[in-house]
Amino acid sequence: MHTVFRPVPARAVKLLPSLFQQRAELNYAYVMSLQNQNLLQNYYLEAGLWNPRNRQEDIHWGWEAPTCQLRGHFLGHWLSAAARLYANTGDAQVKAKADFIVAELARCQQENGGGWAGSIPEKYLDWIARGKSVWAPHYTVHKTLMGLYEMAAYAGNEQALDVLSQWAEWFYRWTAQFSRAELDDILDVETGGMLEVWADLYGLTCKAEHLELLRRYDRPRLFERLLAGEDPLTNRHANTTIPEAHGAARAYEVTGEQRWRDIAEAYWRSAVTDRGVFCTGSQTTGEVWNPPFAFAARLSDKNQEHCVAYNMMRLADYLLRWTGDVAYADYWERNLYNGILAQQNPETGMVAYFLPLQAGSVKVWGTPTHDFWCCHGSLVQAHTIYGNHTYFENDAGLVVSQYIPTELAWQWDGVPVTIKQTFDTEASMPGPRTPDGETHRPNRWSVEFSVHSERPATFALQMRVPWWTVGAARVWINGEAQTIPASPSSFLNLQRTWQGNDKVRVEFPKRLWSSPMPDEPDTVAFMDGPVVLAGLCDEERVLIGDKDHPETLLTPHNEREWGVWRPGYRARGQERGLRFVPLYEVQDERYTVYFPVRSNV
């Protein structure tokens, strides 16, 4: 299958000091802090290897408690995160820890008689086949299957592939007893990413039985409605269906069958294009999809589930690689700042299951070992993939999809090329360059690239012009201004022969802007470029002014601290003071995102 964008090798990208490196390090510390015996506790229990006299206070609780029907789901996420960490960094410690866990899963599989290697009993699947209520067994086992696949695919662990293949034989036998109609009934009970993992496995093995598993885990009751242009998503549990769209996307990649691609693209249209998003870029209230462009009645303490933000970013990645459409990269960036970063505690690294958007909200943070919500799993995965989405290559050269301080070791036409992407040292996030004599925080992002090739190399350096850019991007190569037309939501194309030590600077002008509620346009959120601003107040506030010119409502606040520009604002011309900070900086403060604005005319 031909793709427009191709990923660069994982280990070719190294994070450099920045906000993103800080957040990734928090996540790494959490991943490595968890004890092997606790990660494995429910697998040991199922295999008869867990001693019930172990110290009870030391085990994992919440959704990992031995009494929870979803127990064991987190280890699969953990293995996926570990596999990505090793693939990206070559870290020997995380590899050794993950290899040990895979070996223990193999031991559990043998203790179970071969085949089944799960943290829950096989009968849970028989229960759903009988119509008996049980909490998402396919979802639970899928996480382990996914972790085994990624350990094989990204960490080179052959034992993981062996465990996965033996387990696939169990599923092949189990599903063979059911008709298509019976399978459809079974798969109506949250199947998670089962279709995707069978597509992944088939992509590795090319075995007929794995292709057959892929076909058995088709979801015609959802997929055919999507293909017919219907809306099967409103008020439906979002994260039940997004992994099924991932499955269709991956099935297209390994089979080349157009129907699977049509399904993934139809899902995106239904979930995003024809539905709209909150200012943050994501959606959902109480875990279900909101009605199309009708959000005002859905502001709550349970908006934007972290898993939804992360999994829709994964779907955007599939579509970006296939099409090269910059809109998917823009979507990814918006959710990165206002979802992945905003739902990770900047001090503890813990996750917020939801991102409340109602007035006077507070983020509720998970704990390291006493919750293990589904979003703990997507948390540890989400902060391993920054570098994987920063660069792609295509037939013309290198594509810069995201602005994240990184160093890339790449090759073009046999010529080794090193590209270093940095921001001004005065900023801890993408931010403005400060020429001599500039006295206030500039309204632009400035990104610098050094391009070092061992000998002259001719290729295009294609840089995304973000959707929030005001006017034209500005480019300098080796200090000389360039005239290169590029509008927002496009790629700026620098086609040239790179001579060995070239310097590129690109500036993206930005401004404050208002993001209105689709069905209540006088209620707006304020954004600074791609970043949602949170007003630090515990109630709904009506602001007086011009909602279409937020610069008349907000003014920079505490903009400079030593050598660093700070991103805060304060309200101006209001009866009461109000400070605004990036939503991703909010920890335990009460905050409000959407504000009714009344004209003062």
Side-chain angles (χ1 to χ4, degrees), residues 311-352:
N311 279 325
M312 287 301 294
M313 290 168 72
R314 286 199 61 224
L315 183 57
D317 176 64
Y318 275 111
L319 299 171
L320 174 65
R321 288 187 285 104
W322 297 348
T323 66
D325 188 337
V326 70
Y328 298 117
D330 283 339
Y331 178 95
W332 206 92
E333 176 189 63
R334 192 167 178 172
N335 281 270
L336 173 63
Y337 280 98
N338 306 305
I340 301 308
L341 295 182
Q343 290 177 255
Q344 183 200 34
N345 189 299
E347 288 190 1
T348 69
M350 288 296 96
V351 71

Side-chain angles (χ1 to χ4, degrees), residues 117-175:
S119 54
I120 56 175
E122 302 99 309
K123 66 182 179 183
Y124 279 12
L125 289 172
D126 292 329
W127 286 1
I128 60 169
R130 290 162 41 197
K132 187 174 180 178
S133 179
V134 59
W135 190 7
H138 268 124
Y139 170 92
T140 304
V141 298
H142 160 258
K143 301 309 177 189
T144 312
L145 293 164
M146 169 189 68
L148 289 166
Y149 166 76
E150 297 210 352
M151 281 298 296
Y154 301 117
N157 186 304
E158 294 183 3
Q159 189 175 34
L161 179 59
D162 183 60
V163 174
L164 175 57
S165 298
Q166 289 188 52
W167 205 352
E169 292 176 13
W170 186 96
F171 276 97
Y172 185 78
R173 294 192 302 271
W174 182 76
T175 54

Side-chain angles (χ1 to χ4, degrees), residues 392-412:
F392 295 91
E393 60 181 28
N394 62 8
D395 292 343
L398 187 71
V399 177
V400 181
S401 179
Q402 300 298 324
Y403 295 103
I404 296 174
T406 43
E407 183 171 295
L408 169 69
W410 183 58
Q411 280 202 359
W412 179 256

Side-chain angles (χ1 to χ4, degrees), residues 209-503:
E209 57 265 35
H210 298 153
L211 178 61
E212 176 60 22
L213 271 173
L214 180 160
R215 301 204 185 286
R216 290 177 187 176
Y217 276 80
D218 192 354
R219 295 286 287 119
R221 288 179 181 171
L222 170 65
F223 293 163
E224 295 310 312
R225 291 188 65 193
L226 287 167
L227 291 173
E230 299 176 23
D231 173 14
L233 300 185
T234 295
N235 292 329
R236 185 166 183 172
H237 188 263
N239 205 48
T240 295
T241 56
I242 303 168
E244 294 171 337
H246 294 163
R250 187 65 178 136
Y252 167 65
E253 291 189 340
V254 300
T255 69
E257 296 171 11
Q258 185 65 33
R259 172 179 174 267
W260 295 116
R261 175 169 176 162
D262 291 344
I263 291 164
E265 292 177 333
Y267 192 96
W268 184 270
R269 285 193 299 273
S270 183
V272 180
T273 310
D274 297 340
R275 190 168 305 273
V277 296
F278 286 119
C279 60
T280 56
S282 190
Q283 244 262 19
T284 72
T285 303
E287 302 193 12
V288 304
W289 287 114
N290 295 324
F293 304 103
F295 303 162
R298 299 290 178 111
L299 293 182
S300 109
D301 61 340
K302 294 181 177 62
N303 293 124
Q304 189 169 305
E305 182 186 359
H306 183 276
C307 287
V308 170
Y310 170 69
N311 279 325
M312 287 301 294
M313 290 168 72
R314 286 199 61 224
L315 183 57
D317 176 64
Y318 275 111
L319 299 171
L320 174 65
R321 288 187 285 104
W322 297 348
T323 66
D325 188 337
V326 70
Y328 298 117
D330 283 339
Y331 178 95
W332 206 92
E333 176 189 63
R334 192 167 178 172
N335 281 270
L336 173 63
Y337 280 98
N338 306 305
I340 301 308
L341 295 182
Q343 290 177 255
Q344 183 200 34
N345 189 299
E347 288 190 1
T348 69
M350 288 296 96
V351 71
Y353 194 133
F354 297 108
L355 185 67
L357 296 177
Q358 68 180 9
S361 292
V362 64
K363 298 177 185 178
V364 177
W365 302 110
T367 61
T369 60
H370 281 72
D371 295 300
F372 289 108
W373 307 316
C374 54
C375 298
H376 277 69
S378 54
L379 165 82
V380 296
Q381 289 180 271
H383 295 280
T384 67
I385 61 173
Y386 300 146
N388 305 114
H389 294 82
T390 303
Y391 306 100
F392 295 91
E393 60 181 28
N394 62 8
D395 292 343
L398 187 71
V399 177
V400 181
S401 179
Q402 300 298 324
Y403 295 103
I404 296 174
T406 43
E407 183 171 295
L408 169 69
W410 183 58
Q411 280 202 359
W412 179 256
D413 198 22
V415 180
V417 179
T418 300
I419 295 178
K420 190 174 183 180
Q421 177 187 164
T422 57
F423 304 120
D424 192 278
T425 56
E426 295 185 339
S428 60
M429 59 167 284
R433 186 176 177 83
T434 313
D436 290 342
E438 192 142 37
T439 56
H440 292 290
R441 184 173 63 204
N443 281 325
R444 60 183 176 271
W445 280 10
S446 179
V447 189
E448 296 183 351
F449 296 86
S450 65
V451 182
H452 174 76
S453 56
E454 291 193 2
R455 55 184 184 273
T458 302
F459 62 88
L461 181 62
Q462 302 148 85
M463 295 181 287
R464 179 175 61 93
V465 182
W467 54 282
W468 45 263
T469 304
V470 179
R474 291 172 289 183
V475 181
W476 293 260
I477 299 178
N478 297 327
E480 294 185 8
Q482 308 293 306
T483 303
I484 304 173
S487 59
S489 289
S490 69
F491 284 100
L492 190 157
N493 192 0
L494 303 182
Q495 174 73 44
R496 62 185 277 117
T497 299
W498 304 91
Q499 297 294 334
N501 288 289
D502 293 301
K503 304 290 184 184

